[in-house]
Tab-separated table of all heavy atoms in Angstrom:
chain	number	residue	atom	x	y	z
Z	72	ASP	N	-79.487	41.238	-46.787
Z	72	ASP	CA	-80.024	42.279	-47.727
Z	72	ASP	C	-81.558	41.902	-48.203
Z	72	ASP	O	-82.308	42.773	-48.423
Z	72	ASP	CB	-79.207	42.482	-49.125
Z	72	ASP	CG	-77.878	43.001	-48.721
Z	72	ASP	OD1	-77.675	43.755	-47.690
Z	72	ASP	OD2	-76.810	43.039	-49.624
Z	73	SER	N	-81.731	40.590	-48.168
Z	73	SER	CA	-82.993	40.070	-48.566
Z	73	SER	C	-84.131	40.322	-47.456
Z	73	SER	O	-85.212	40.274	-47.633
Z	73	SER	CB	-82.901	38.452	-48.670
Z	73	SER	OG	-82.615	37.909	-47.485
Z	74	GLY	N	-83.572	40.871	-46.249
Z	74	GLY	CA	-84.462	41.264	-45.291
Z	74	GLY	C	-84.570	40.151	-44.200
Z	74	GLY	O	-85.077	40.249	-43.164
Z	75	HIS	N	-84.007	38.947	-44.548
Z	75	HIS	CA	-83.976	37.799	-43.671
Z	75	HIS	C	-83.077	38.185	-42.501
Z	75	HIS	O	-81.954	38.579	-42.738
Z	75	HIS	CB	-83.356	36.494	-44.417
Z	75	HIS	CG	-83.278	35.387	-43.574
Z	75	HIS	ND1	-84.136	34.532	-43.033
Z	75	HIS	CD2	-82.047	34.978	-43.083
Z	75	HIS	CE1	-83.678	33.661	-42.380
Z	75	HIS	NE2	-82.339	33.861	-42.363
Z	76	GLU	N	-83.484	37.878	-41.214
Z	76	GLU	CA	-82.623	38.096	-40.198
Z	76	GLU	C	-82.830	37.094	-39.075
Z	76	GLU	O	-83.790	36.368	-39.100
Z	76	GLU	CB	-82.881	39.579	-39.569
Z	76	GLU	CG	-84.267	39.823	-39.105
Z	76	GLU	CD	-84.373	41.313	-38.529
Z	76	GLU	OE1	-83.649	41.583	-37.557
Z	76	GLU	OE2	-85.139	42.028	-39.052
Z	77	GLY	N	-81.923	37.016	-38.138
Z	77	GLY	CA	-82.025	36.086	-37.040
Z	77	GLY	C	-80.859	36.145	-36.194
Z	77	GLY	O	-79.982	37.034	-36.284
Z	78	ASP	N	-80.785	35.220	-35.285
Z	78	ASP	CA	-79.687	35.111	-34.304
Z	78	ASP	C	-78.872	33.812	-34.545
Z	78	ASP	O	-79.545	32.864	-34.832
Z	78	ASP	CB	-80.050	35.280	-32.822
Z	78	ASP	CG	-80.665	36.559	-32.484
Z	78	ASP	OD1	-80.048	37.540	-32.682
Z	78	ASP	OD2	-81.988	36.607	-32.409
Z	79	ALA	N	-77.591	33.827	-34.319
Z	79	ALA	CA	-76.757	32.643	-34.441
Z	79	ALA	C	-75.652	32.686	-33.479
Z	79	ALA	O	-75.167	33.820	-33.036
Z	79	ALA	CB	-76.225	32.551	-35.967
Z	80	PRO	N	-75.231	31.435	-33.167
Z	80	PRO	CA	-74.025	31.538	-32.155
Z	80	PRO	C	-72.776	32.154	-33.025
Z	80	PRO	O	-72.638	31.837	-34.209
Z	80	PRO	CB	-73.844	30.043	-31.828
Z	80	PRO	CG	-74.502	29.254	-32.888
Z	80	PRO	CD	-75.563	30.085	-33.372
Z	81	LEU	N	-71.889	32.743	-32.210
Z	81	LEU	CA	-70.722	33.245	-32.962
Z	81	LEU	C	-69.858	32.004	-33.336
Z	81	LEU	O	-69.360	32.059	-34.484
Z	81	LEU	CB	-69.799	34.065	-31.890
Z	81	LEU	CG	-70.433	35.370	-31.531
Z	81	LEU	CD1	-69.706	35.902	-30.259
Z	81	LEU	CD2	-70.213	36.350	-32.765
Z	82	VAL	N	-69.629	31.112	-32.576
Z	82	VAL	CA	-68.941	29.810	-32.838
Z	82	VAL	C	-69.767	28.609	-32.232
Z	82	VAL	O	-70.376	28.834	-31.220
Z	82	VAL	CB	-67.490	29.840	-32.551
Z	82	VAL	CG1	-66.617	30.741	-33.447
Z	82	VAL	CG2	-67.336	30.211	-31.130
Z	83	GLY	N	-69.389	27.455	-32.638
Z	83	GLY	CA	-70.017	26.245	-32.024
Z	83	GLY	C	-69.576	25.018	-32.609
Z	83	GLY	O	-68.807	24.954	-33.491
Z	84	PHE	N	-70.228	23.870	-32.100
Z	84	PHE	CA	-69.931	22.575	-32.673
Z	84	PHE	C	-71.021	21.695	-32.389
Z	84	PHE	O	-71.951	21.936	-31.524
Z	84	PHE	CB	-68.654	22.006	-32.030
Z	84	PHE	CG	-68.566	21.623	-30.679
Z	84	PHE	CD1	-68.896	20.265	-30.282
Z	84	PHE	CD2	-68.478	22.595	-29.651
Z	84	PHE	CE1	-69.120	19.953	-28.950
Z	84	PHE	CE2	-68.489	22.145	-28.248
Z	84	PHE	CZ	-68.796	20.791	-27.985
Z	85	SER	N	-71.046	20.559	-33.056
Z	85	SER	CA	-72.052	19.517	-32.797
Z	85	SER	C	-71.417	18.102	-33.015
Z	85	SER	O	-70.785	17.847	-34.013
Z	85	SER	CB	-73.180	19.600	-33.753
Z	85	SER	OG	-74.169	18.697	-33.425
Side-chain angles (χ1 to χ4, degrees):
D72 293 340
S73 65
H75 172 80
E76 63 181 297
D78 297 295
L81 289 166
V82 287
F84 72 93
S85 182

